[in-house]
Amino acid sequence: MTGSIGHLLNRTLEVWRPVAGPGDGLGGRRTTYVATGTTVRAKVDQPSDAERMLAQQAGSEHTHSIYLLPGSDVTRGDELRGAGQSFRVTATVEPSTPVYLKAQCKLIQSQPT
């Protein structure tokens, strides 16, 4: 593929998708994440200061940019998991010439036990 970023994708991440579960008894719904059985090749980067500021202005947190092959089945709300890390996708962006898919993500840090 001409212009492919495939040679830069140095990680494999699992795609987890949110599924609405039964109500919590208080009028709300519980959301659980279910593995889709899909893995994607990825490159995980820190966003620029400008990207972080734009996310903050929009009321979001952007801790990592994850680059994927164009056409990867990753959408807003998904989680990308691998190597002991989980990232929640807050948005996806594809340039006008689809050479990559960029997922703007927030690192989900687990609580120590």
XYZ file of all heavy atoms in Angstrom:
847
model
N 0.844 -1.164 0.000
C 0.000 0.000 0.000
C 0.896 1.236 0.000
O 1.752 1.381 0.849
C -0.906 -0.027 1.241
C -1.738 1.206 1.405
S -2.659 1.335 2.972
C -3.262 -0.275 3.264
N 0.720 2.130 -0.931
C 1.525 3.339 -1.014
C 1.180 4.262 0.142
O 0.016 4.491 0.435
C 1.260 4.063 -2.347
O 1.559 3.164 -3.400
C 2.104 5.295 -2.459
N 2.206 4.797 0.797
C 1.977 5.724 1.909
C 1.512 5.035 3.180
O 1.045 5.690 4.089
N 1.636 3.733 3.253
C 1.176 3.002 4.426
C 2.070 3.282 5.630
O 3.274 3.455 5.505
C 1.180 1.508 4.140
O 0.854 0.781 5.308
N 1.458 3.292 6.787
C 2.217 3.467 8.026
C 2.481 2.124 8.695
O 2.980 2.077 9.806
C 1.493 4.407 9.003
C 0.164 3.801 9.467
C 1.300 5.772 8.405
C -0.384 4.433 10.713
N 2.145 1.044 8.007
C 2.253 -0.287 8.588
C 3.585 -0.583 9.240
O 3.644 -1.218 10.288
N 4.685 -0.109 8.650
C 6.013 -0.395 9.211
C 6.260 0.330 10.542
O 7.180 -0.012 11.267
C 7.097 -0.023 8.195
C 7.182 1.441 7.905
N 6.255 2.099 7.109
C 8.064 2.369 8.320
C 6.582 3.380 7.052
N 7.670 3.566 7.774
N 5.440 1.324 10.879
C 5.587 2.067 12.133
C 4.747 1.484 13.275
O 4.942 1.846 14.433
C 5.177 3.535 11.932
C 5.985 4.318 10.906
C 5.363 5.693 10.683
C 7.434 4.444 11.332
N 3.827 0.604 12.938
C 2.903 0.065 13.938
C 3.594 -1.062 14.690
O 3.722 -2.173 14.193
C 1.614 -0.402 13.259
C 0.929 0.657 12.394
C -0.325 0.086 11.746
C 0.638 1.915 13.166
N 4.029 -0.763 15.919
C 4.895 -1.676 16.666
C 4.213 -2.378 17.837
O 4.879 -3.023 18.635
C 6.142 -0.932 17.139
C 5.809 0.269 17.995
O 4.656 0.525 18.312
N 6.836 1.021 18.370
N 2.904 -2.220 17.969
C 2.175 -2.859 19.062
C 0.921 -3.528 18.524
O 0.393 -3.134 17.490
C 1.744 -1.819 20.105
C 2.920 -1.257 20.873
C 2.518 -0.244 21.893
N 1.723 -0.802 22.959
C 1.347 -0.099 24.034
N 1.692 1.160 24.161
N 0.613 -0.644 24.967
N 0.437 -4.497 19.258
C -0.843 -5.133 18.956
C -1.769 -4.871 20.140
O -1.399 -5.128 21.288
C -0.676 -6.649 18.736
O 0.231 -6.847 17.649
C -2.003 -7.299 18.407
N -2.947 -4.348 19.841
C -3.924 -4.035 20.881
C -5.233 -4.760 20.588
O -5.612 -4.927 19.425
C -4.183 -2.530 20.943
C -2.972 -1.642 21.243
C -3.329 -0.168 21.085
C -2.448 -1.909 22.647
N -5.928 -5.172 21.651
C -7.238 -5.798 21.520
C -8.305 -4.706 21.540
O -8.190 -3.744 22.297
C -7.510 -6.748 22.682
C -6.595 -7.930 22.739
C -6.876 -8.799 23.955
O -7.578 -8.350 24.896
O -6.390 -9.935 23.970
N -9.354 -4.889 20.740
C -10.473 -3.945 20.714
C -11.573 -4.471 21.626
O -12.021 -5.615 21.483
C -11.019 -3.767 19.279
C -12.198 -2.799 19.275
C -9.918 -3.297 18.337
N -11.990 -3.643 22.575
C -13.087 -3.950 23.491
C -14.180 -2.921 23.242
O -13.896 -1.733 23.106
C -12.625 -3.876 24.942
C -11.686 -4.991 25.319
C -10.435 -5.216 24.824
C -11.933 -6.026 26.261
N -9.884 -6.331 25.401
C -10.776 -6.840 26.290
C -12.999 -6.323 27.089
C -10.676 -7.948 27.115
C -12.896 -7.427 27.915
C -11.750 -8.232 27.923
N -15.433 -3.361 23.170
C -16.545 -2.475 22.827
C -17.536 -2.416 23.985
O -17.837 -3.425 24.614
C -17.221 -3.010 21.569
C -18.191 -2.047 20.969
C -18.206 -2.077 19.460
N -17.004 -1.511 18.882
C -16.527 -1.858 17.691
N -17.153 -2.746 16.948
N -15.427 -1.310 17.224
N -18.078 -1.210 24.275
C -19.054 -1.098 25.365
C -20.387 -1.737 24.994
O -20.838 -1.641 23.847
C -19.204 0.414 25.544
C -18.820 1.004 24.232
C -17.806 0.074 23.629
N -20.979 -2.401 25.978
C -22.288 -3.019 25.820
C -23.133 -2.601 27.014
O -22.693 -2.747 28.159
C -22.166 -4.560 25.757
C -23.540 -5.212 25.697
C -21.312 -4.990 24.585
N -24.327 -2.082 26.734
C -25.228 -1.681 27.815
C -25.762 -2.923 28.497
O -26.271 -3.841 27.846
C -26.369 -0.839 27.273
N -25.629 -2.935 29.805
C -26.098 -4.075 30.581
C -27.412 -3.745 31.256
O -28.037 -2.721 30.973
N -27.816 -4.598 32.178
C -29.069 -4.347 32.896
C -28.953 -3.103 33.762
O -27.856 -2.647 34.081
C -29.246 -5.613 33.746
C -27.878 -6.201 33.853
C -27.134 -5.798 32.613
N -30.095 -2.569 34.137
C -30.131 -1.380 34.986
C -29.487 -1.622 36.330
O -29.336 -2.751 36.780
N -29.109 -0.531 36.971
C -28.447 -0.639 38.274
C -29.431 -0.547 39.433
O -29.039 -0.473 40.578
C -27.353 0.428 38.409
C -27.889 1.844 38.339
O -29.120 2.032 38.299
O -27.064 2.775 38.331
N -30.743 -0.527 39.135
C -31.754 -0.449 40.181
C -32.060 0.975 40.598
O -32.966 1.215 41.385
N -31.310 1.941 40.109
C -31.515 3.347 40.454
C -31.872 4.182 39.224
O -31.760 5.396 39.245
C -30.254 3.918 41.119
C -29.797 3.210 42.388
C -28.454 3.738 42.846
C -30.830 3.373 43.487
N -32.259 3.521 38.157
C -32.638 4.240 36.943
C -31.516 4.374 35.930
O -31.728 4.846 34.825
N -30.317 3.974 36.303
C -29.181 4.048 35.380
C -28.916 2.710 34.736
O -29.513 1.698 35.086
N -28.044 2.715 33.770
C -27.659 1.476 33.096
C -26.178 1.228 33.343
O -25.402 2.156 33.437
C -27.936 1.574 31.606
C -29.421 1.802 31.338
C -29.899 1.418 29.984
N -29.677 0.098 29.518
C -30.476 -0.958 29.746
N -31.518 -0.827 30.504
N -30.208 -2.125 29.212
N -25.826 -0.015 33.440
C -24.427 -0.385 33.605
C -23.846 -0.699 32.236
O -24.483 -1.323 31.402
C -24.301 -1.601 34.499
C -24.665 -1.280 35.918
C -24.036 -2.275 36.848
N -24.250 -1.822 38.200
C -24.695 -2.572 39.186
N -24.945 -3.837 38.964
N -24.858 -2.078 40.384
N -22.623 -0.258 32.027
C -21.926 -0.549 30.790
C -20.751 -1.456 31.101
O -19.987 -1.198 32.034
C -21.414 0.757 30.134
O -22.538 1.591 29.861
C -20.683 0.471 28.847
N -20.647 -2.523 30.336
C -19.496 -3.405 30.456
C -18.778 -3.414 29.112
O -19.357 -3.076 28.087
C -19.912 -4.843 30.829
O -20.815 -5.332 29.833
C -20.574 -4.902 32.185
N -17.525 -3.772 29.140
C -16.727 -3.849 27.912
C -16.499 -5.309 27.568
O -16.134 -6.108 28.427
C -15.401 -3.101 28.082
C -15.602 -1.611 28.010
C -16.038 -0.896 29.103
C -15.412 -0.937 26.810
C -16.260 0.468 29.018
C -15.637 0.424 26.715
C -16.062 1.119 27.824
O -16.295 2.461 27.727
N -16.734 -5.638 26.314
C -16.640 -7.007 25.835
C -15.610 -7.060 24.717
O -15.618 -6.211 23.813
C -18.016 -7.481 25.313
C -17.934 -8.880 24.735
C -19.057 -7.397 26.414
N -14.727 -8.046 24.788
C -13.722 -8.219 23.737
C -14.436 -8.538 22.429
O -15.326 -9.380 22.387
C -12.756 -9.335 24.101
N -14.051 -7.840 21.352
C -14.668 -8.072 20.049
C -14.011 -9.225 19.312
O -14.524 -9.679 18.296
C -14.563 -6.820 19.156
O -13.182 -6.559 18.880
C -15.217 -5.621 19.810
N -12.872 -9.694 19.806
C -12.125 -10.739 19.109
C -11.215 -10.166 18.032
O -10.576 -10.896 17.294
N -11.159 -8.841 17.963
C -10.340 -8.159 16.965
C -9.087 -7.602 17.616
O -9.146 -7.044 18.709
C -11.134 -6.991 16.339
O -12.318 -7.511 15.746
C -10.328 -6.256 15.297
N -7.957 -7.758 16.953
C -6.737 -7.090 17.366
C -6.323 -6.149 16.240
O -6.629 -6.389 15.071
C -5.586 -8.080 17.656
O -5.326 -8.846 16.482
C -5.924 -8.988 18.816
N -5.683 -5.053 16.630
C -5.219 -4.075 15.648
C -3.751 -3.778 15.898
O -3.283 -3.799 17.033
C -6.038 -2.761 15.712
C -7.452 -2.976 15.222
C -6.048 -2.169 17.119
N -3.030 -3.537 14.821
C -1.645 -3.074 14.935
C -1.709 -1.581 15.198
O -2.531 -0.874 14.610
C -0.884 -3.391 13.657
C -0.670 -4.886 13.479
C 0.038 -5.256 12.204
N 1.211 -4.442 11.949
C 1.561 -4.014 10.738
N 0.842 -4.309 9.681
N 2.644 -3.287 10.581
N -0.809 -1.092 16.063
C -0.909 0.297 16.498
C 0.450 0.889 16.837
O 1.411 0.177 17.105
C -1.804 0.378 17.735
N 0.484 2.207 16.829
C 1.610 2.994 17.337
C 1.023 3.956 18.353
O 0.101 4.707 18.043
C 2.305 3.768 16.228
C 3.498 4.595 16.719
C 4.195 5.261 15.540
C 5.490 5.937 15.909
N 5.443 6.864 16.994
N 1.523 3.914 19.579
C 1.001 4.740 20.667
C 1.958 5.890 20.908
O 3.144 5.675 21.142
C 0.824 3.899 21.952
C 0.306 4.758 23.092
C -0.105 2.716 21.695
N 1.445 7.113 20.824
C 2.246 8.326 21.018
C 1.601 9.241 22.046
O 0.407 9.140 22.327
C 2.340 9.132 19.705
C 3.371 8.592 18.732
O 4.250 7.838 19.160
O 3.277 8.937 17.550
N 2.413 10.144 22.553
C 1.909 11.228 23.393
C 1.377 12.324 22.465
O 2.003 12.613 21.451
C 3.040 11.809 24.248
C 3.660 10.833 25.209
C 2.815 10.641 26.443
O 2.206 11.572 26.931
N 2.768 9.430 26.951
N 0.250 12.951 22.780
C -0.234 14.045 21.942
C 0.595 15.309 22.173
O 1.257 15.454 23.205
C -1.670 14.247 22.410
C -1.662 13.792 23.829
C -0.647 12.672 23.893
N 0.526 16.206 21.210
C 1.217 17.487 21.367
C 0.489 18.329 22.418
O -0.665 18.057 22.770
C 1.240 18.237 20.032
O -0.069 18.661 19.691
N 1.137 19.369 22.898
C 0.505 20.284 23.855
C -0.745 20.910 23.248
O -1.764 21.076 23.927
C 1.484 21.375 24.290
C 2.595 20.839 25.188
O 2.407 19.763 25.795
O 3.640 21.491 25.274
N -0.685 21.253 21.966
C -1.836 21.861 21.292
C -3.011 20.888 21.253
O -4.165 21.283 21.473
C -1.457 22.309 19.882
N -2.738 19.608 20.982
C -3.810 18.613 20.955
C -4.438 18.447 22.337
O -5.655 18.331 22.465
C -3.273 17.266 20.460
C -2.946 17.239 18.987
C -2.273 15.950 18.551
O -1.380 15.457 19.281
O -2.650 15.448 17.483
N -3.615 18.449 23.364
C -4.146 18.341 24.735
C -5.029 19.539 25.081
O -6.080 19.391 25.683
C -3.002 18.248 25.745
C -2.317 16.928 25.793
C -1.207 16.978 26.856
N -0.297 15.896 26.723
C -0.233 14.865 27.563
N -1.048 14.787 28.580
N 0.645 13.913 27.367
N -4.573 20.733 24.687
C -5.324 21.949 24.986
C -6.671 21.944 24.260
O -7.695 22.287 24.837
C -4.523 23.199 24.608
C -5.225 24.472 25.041
S -4.235 25.975 24.902
C -3.581 25.860 23.269
N -6.683 21.520 22.995
C -7.945 21.441 22.251
C -8.910 20.465 22.912
O -10.110 20.731 23.007
C -7.692 21.027 20.805
C -7.132 22.104 19.888
C -6.753 21.506 18.534
C -8.133 23.223 19.713
N -8.402 19.337 23.374
C -9.248 18.359 24.045
C -9.817 18.942 25.332
O -11.010 18.783 25.619
C -8.463 17.083 24.339
N -8.993 19.643 26.104
C -9.469 20.257 27.342
C -10.548 21.289 27.067
O -11.542 21.375 27.786
C -8.309 20.896 28.103
C -7.400 19.891 28.755
C -6.189 20.537 29.413
O -5.858 21.676 29.140
N -5.523 19.788 30.270
N -10.383 22.078 26.005
C -11.382 23.076 25.648
C -12.705 22.423 25.272
O -13.764 23.007 25.454
C -10.882 23.961 24.508
C -9.777 24.902 24.928
C -9.159 25.652 23.761
O -9.371 25.323 22.599
N -8.373 26.676 24.073
N -12.640 21.211 24.740
C -13.848 20.476 24.355
C -14.401 19.653 25.521
O -15.366 18.917 25.363
C -13.544 19.564 23.175
N -13.760 19.755 26.699
C -14.228 19.026 27.868
C -13.820 17.566 27.880
O -14.484 16.734 28.487
N -12.732 17.253 27.211
C -12.263 15.872 27.111
C -10.818 15.800 27.589
O -10.157 16.814 27.761
C -12.364 15.413 25.655
O -11.966 14.073 25.529
N -10.346 14.599 27.810
C -8.947 14.406 28.169
C -8.287 13.586 27.074
O -8.837 12.574 26.645
C -8.821 13.700 29.516
C -7.413 13.651 30.024
C -7.296 13.079 31.424
O -8.327 12.809 32.041
O -6.165 12.897 31.873
N -7.146 14.031 26.615
C -6.434 13.367 25.513
C -5.023 13.092 26.011
O -4.193 13.978 26.038
C -6.444 14.298 24.300
C -5.764 13.751 23.083
N -5.612 14.488 21.953
C -5.197 12.564 22.798
C -4.993 13.799 21.027
N -4.722 12.616 21.527
N -4.776 11.855 26.439
C -3.459 11.526 26.985
C -2.566 10.808 25.982
O -1.355 10.823 26.134
C -3.576 10.647 28.245
O -4.167 9.394 27.882
C -4.390 11.332 29.330
N -3.187 10.166 24.967
C -2.415 9.413 23.980
C -3.079 9.472 22.611
O -4.303 9.496 22.517
C -2.270 7.943 24.394
C -1.386 7.756 25.572
N -1.800 8.004 26.870
C -0.096 7.358 25.660
C -0.796 7.757 27.692
N 0.248 7.367 26.986
N -2.256 9.484 21.588
C -2.723 9.348 20.213
C -2.295 7.964 19.749
O -1.136 7.595 19.884
C -2.086 10.405 19.306
O -2.508 11.695 19.674
N -3.247 7.212 19.222
C -2.945 5.863 18.748
C -3.220 5.829 17.247
O -4.324 6.125 16.804
C -3.771 4.808 19.500
C -3.438 4.873 20.998
C -3.508 3.420 18.932
C -4.164 3.882 21.862
N -2.177 5.494 16.492
C -2.269 5.421 15.036
C -2.515 3.980 14.625
O -1.853 3.061 15.119
C -0.986 5.952 14.398
C -0.809 7.434 14.649
C -0.164 7.890 15.795
C -1.317 8.365 13.758
C -0.026 9.247 16.040
C -1.178 9.728 13.991
C -0.539 10.159 15.133
O -0.406 11.506 15.371
N -3.484 3.797 13.722
C -3.910 2.478 13.262
C -3.959 2.466 11.742
O -3.935 3.527 11.107
C -5.314 2.175 13.799
C -5.528 2.384 15.295
C -6.987 2.600 15.617
C -4.986 1.195 16.056
N -4.075 1.292 11.163
C -4.259 1.199 9.723
C -5.624 1.782 9.359
O -6.591 1.653 10.127
C -4.173 -0.253 9.255
C -2.785 -0.892 9.310
C -2.885 -2.374 8.989
C -1.836 -0.192 8.356
N -5.727 2.418 8.190
C -7.033 2.942 7.779
C -8.036 1.795 7.669
O -7.676 0.670 7.313
C -6.767 3.581 6.410
C -5.475 3.033 5.950
C -4.712 2.602 7.163
N -9.266 2.067 8.020
C -10.302 1.039 7.957
C -10.360 0.144 9.175
O -11.197 -0.761 9.236
N -9.503 0.385 10.172
C -9.556 -0.419 11.399
C -10.913 -0.209 12.070
O -11.430 0.901 12.108
C -8.441 -0.005 12.364
O -7.175 -0.292 11.822
N -11.483 -1.293 12.594
C -12.797 -1.225 13.235
C -12.646 -0.738 14.675
O -12.726 -1.513 15.624
C -13.484 -2.589 13.177
C -14.904 -2.550 13.727
O -15.484 -1.454 13.826
O -15.430 -3.632 14.055
N -12.381 0.562 14.811
C -12.225 1.200 16.113
C -13.071 2.473 16.087
O -12.964 3.273 15.157
C -10.747 1.549 16.399
C -10.607 2.373 17.668
C -9.916 0.281 16.480
N -13.920 2.640 17.089
C -14.805 3.802 17.135
C -14.785 4.442 18.517
O -14.284 3.864 19.487
C -16.257 3.406 16.795
O -16.721 2.471 17.768
C -16.373 2.790 15.419
N -15.355 5.632 18.573
C -15.457 6.365 19.841
C -16.148 5.491 20.881
O -17.147 4.844 20.603
C -16.269 7.644 19.613
C -16.393 8.500 20.832
C -17.120 9.796 20.469
N -17.071 10.718 21.567
C -18.102 10.993 22.359
N -19.274 10.426 22.138
N -17.959 11.838 23.352
N -15.588 5.463 22.086
C -16.150 4.663 23.167
C -15.470 3.313 23.344
O -15.570 2.713 24.407
N -14.809 2.821 22.306
C -14.091 1.552 22.421
C -12.931 1.692 23.396
O -12.483 2.799 23.702
C -13.516 1.121 21.065
C -14.569 0.604 20.092
O -15.740 0.425 20.494
O -14.211 0.397 18.923
N -12.440 0.560 23.853
C -11.188 0.519 24.607
C -10.187 -0.303 23.805
O -10.549 -1.312 23.198
C -11.369 -0.096 25.996
C -12.048 0.839 26.959
C -12.092 0.311 28.387
O -11.528 -0.773 28.672
O -12.695 1.001 29.230
N -8.947 0.154 23.810
C -7.841 -0.576 23.191
C -6.956 -1.051 24.329
O -6.508 -0.244 25.154
C -7.085 0.338 22.220
C -7.930 0.910 21.083
C -7.121 1.911 20.258
C -8.468 -0.204 20.204
N -6.719 -2.351 24.390
C -5.983 -2.929 25.523
C -4.811 -3.774 25.047
O -4.918 -4.522 24.084
C -6.910 -3.807 26.364
C -8.092 -3.076 26.942
C -8.962 -4.007 27.740
N -10.149 -3.336 28.246
C -11.078 -3.935 28.979
N -10.946 -5.208 29.307
N -12.127 -3.246 29.394
N -3.700 -3.627 25.775
C -2.531 -4.448 25.494
C -1.354 -4.022 26.326
O -1.269 -2.872 26.761
N -0.441 -4.932 26.581
C 0.780 -4.676 27.343
C 0.480 -4.040 28.703
O 1.186 -3.155 29.154
C 1.740 -3.809 26.541
N -0.614 -4.484 29.335
C -0.949 -3.989 30.666
C -1.560 -2.599 30.687
O -1.710 -2.016 31.762
N -1.921 -2.053 29.537
C -2.524 -0.726 29.473
C -3.893 -0.798 28.806
O -4.134 -1.670 27.964
C -1.646 0.234 28.670
C -0.317 0.546 29.322
C 0.497 1.510 28.477
O 0.712 1.276 27.302
N 0.945 2.583 29.095
N -4.766 0.129 29.194
C -6.075 0.278 28.562
C -6.262 1.738 28.189
O -5.986 2.633 28.994
C -7.199 -0.126 29.516
O -7.140 -1.500 29.802
N -6.745 1.968 26.963
C -6.982 3.311 26.454
C -8.432 3.420 26.015
O -8.914 2.581 25.257
C -6.087 3.600 25.237
C -4.620 3.442 25.502
C -3.976 2.246 25.261
C -3.873 4.500 25.993
C -2.624 2.091 25.501
C -2.517 4.364 26.239
C -1.887 3.153 25.994
N -9.154 4.439 26.483
C -10.526 4.688 26.037
C -10.485 5.657 24.873
O -9.892 6.729 24.952
C -11.345 5.270 27.180
C -12.742 5.658 26.781
C -13.921 4.898 27.370
N -13.703 3.832 28.291
C -13.892 3.930 29.617
N -14.261 5.050 30.171
N -13.708 2.882 30.388
N -11.111 5.290 23.765
C -11.127 6.113 22.556
C -12.155 7.224 22.727
O -13.343 6.960 22.939
C -11.461 5.269 21.303
C -11.515 6.139 20.056
C -10.447 4.137 21.134
N -11.694 8.479 22.663
C -12.598 9.628 22.790
C -13.008 10.180 21.435
O -14.023 10.862 21.329
C -11.954 10.746 23.634
O -10.729 11.149 23.022
C -11.689 10.273 25.052
N -12.235 9.900 20.391
C -12.564 10.337 19.031
C -11.650 9.614 18.055
O -10.568 9.159 18.428
C -12.382 11.845 18.891
N -12.098 9.516 16.808
C -11.237 9.001 15.749
C -11.204 10.021 14.625
O -12.185 10.711 14.364
C -11.718 7.638 15.195
O -13.039 7.766 14.695
C -11.663 6.558 16.254
N -10.042 10.117 13.982
C -9.826 11.081 12.909
C -9.096 10.379 11.778
O -8.131 9.655 12.021
C -8.975 12.275 13.409
C -8.745 13.287 12.308
C -9.607 12.922 14.626
N -9.554 10.609 10.562
C -8.871 10.059 9.392
C -8.580 11.210 8.443
O -9.460 12.024 8.173
C -9.765 9.018 8.710
C -9.050 8.163 7.716
C -9.894 6.964 7.299
O -11.091 7.124 7.054
O -9.328 5.869 7.220
N -7.339 11.325 7.965
C -7.023 12.421 7.044
C -7.766 12.249 5.716
O -8.300 11.176 5.428
C -5.511 12.309 6.862
C -5.198 10.887 7.144
C -6.202 10.435 8.173
N -7.779 13.308 4.902
C -8.506 13.247 3.634
C -7.962 12.163 2.714
O -8.701 11.565 1.945
C -8.481 14.606 2.932
O -7.152 15.011 2.699
N -6.678 11.908 2.769
C -6.100 10.753 2.080
C -5.906 9.695 3.159
O -5.060 9.854 4.039
C -4.740 11.100 1.432
O -4.934 12.176 0.521
C -4.163 9.899 0.719
N -6.721 8.635 3.137
C -6.724 7.694 4.265
C -5.478 6.818 4.338
O -5.478 5.678 3.893
C -7.991 6.868 4.019
C -8.212 6.941 2.563
C -7.680 8.278 2.119
N -4.410 7.366 4.915
C -3.190 6.591 5.102
C -3.078 6.066 6.537
O -2.241 5.223 6.818
C -1.923 7.406 4.738
C -1.887 7.682 3.253
C -1.846 8.685 5.530
N -3.922 6.567 7.434
C -3.963 6.070 8.799
C -5.301 6.459 9.423
O -6.031 7.305 8.907
C -2.812 6.626 9.657
C -2.832 8.129 9.825
C -3.611 8.731 10.815
C -2.075 8.951 9.002
C -3.623 10.115 10.968
C -2.083 10.325 9.153
C -2.865 10.894 10.140
O -2.894 12.259 10.286
N -5.603 5.834 10.543
C -6.714 6.216 11.403
C -6.087 6.602 12.733
O -5.285 5.835 13.276
C -7.692 5.056 11.592
C -8.847 5.308 12.558
C -9.802 6.361 11.998
C -9.603 4.012 12.834
N -6.409 7.772 13.221
C -5.855 8.242 14.494
C -6.958 8.210 15.540
O -8.020 8.800 15.354
C -5.329 9.666 14.331
C -4.764 10.260 15.599
C -4.261 11.667 15.297
C -3.816 12.408 16.504
N -3.383 13.774 16.167
N -6.699 7.498 16.622
C -7.634 7.438 17.740
C -7.100 8.317 18.859
O -5.990 8.095 19.339
C -7.799 6.000 18.217
N -7.880 9.317 19.229
C -7.531 10.148 20.369
C -8.036 9.425 21.603
O -9.208 9.056 21.672
C -8.150 11.528 20.242
C -7.654 12.278 19.045
C -8.370 13.590 18.810
O -9.390 13.879 19.440
N -7.860 14.399 17.905
N -7.151 9.177 22.562
C -7.483 8.296 23.679
C -7.117 8.888 25.027
O -6.277 9.784 25.136
C -6.745 6.976 23.520
S -7.168 6.077 22.032
N -7.739 8.317 26.031
C -7.418 8.610 27.429
C -6.929 7.312 28.074
O -7.598 6.291 27.994
C -8.661 9.108 28.159
C -8.455 9.319 29.637
C -9.737 9.724 30.310
C -9.514 9.828 31.808
N -10.756 10.097 32.520
N -5.736 7.365 28.670
C -5.193 6.209 29.373
C -6.043 5.967 30.624
O -6.327 6.879 31.387
C -3.741 6.451 29.777
C -3.072 5.355 30.592
C -2.954 4.069 29.800
C -1.711 5.818 31.081
N -6.463 4.725 30.787
C -7.240 4.342 31.974
C -6.286 3.654 32.922
O -5.761 2.580 32.614
C -8.400 3.405 31.602
C -9.302 4.080 30.590
C -9.165 2.981 32.837
C -10.274 3.145 29.933
N -6.021 4.294 34.041
C -5.083 3.715 34.999
C -5.869 2.971 36.059
O -6.823 3.493 36.638
C -4.238 4.816 35.624
C -3.359 5.498 34.610
C -2.460 6.555 35.227
O -2.723 7.034 36.327
N -1.421 6.920 34.525
N -5.445 1.742 36.307
C -6.145 0.932 37.310
C -5.702 1.349 38.718
O -4.609 1.857 38.913
C -5.869 -0.546 37.079
O -4.487 -0.801 37.177
N -6.594 1.108 39.656
C -6.308 1.395 41.062
C -5.429 0.304 41.628
O -5.651 -0.875 41.354
C -7.623 1.451 41.856
C -8.556 2.561 41.429
C -8.042 3.916 41.858
O -7.323 4.055 42.841
N -8.419 4.948 41.121
N -4.404 0.681 42.402
C -3.593 -0.359 43.043
C -4.444 -1.140 44.038
O -5.343 -0.598 44.666
C -2.493 0.414 43.756
C -2.825 1.849 43.654
C -3.970 2.011 42.716
N -4.153 -2.428 44.150
C -4.945 -3.256 45.087
C -4.186 -3.538 46.336
O -3.026 -3.400 46.451
C -5.334 -4.589 44.428
O -4.155 -5.252 43.981
C -6.300 -4.363 43.295
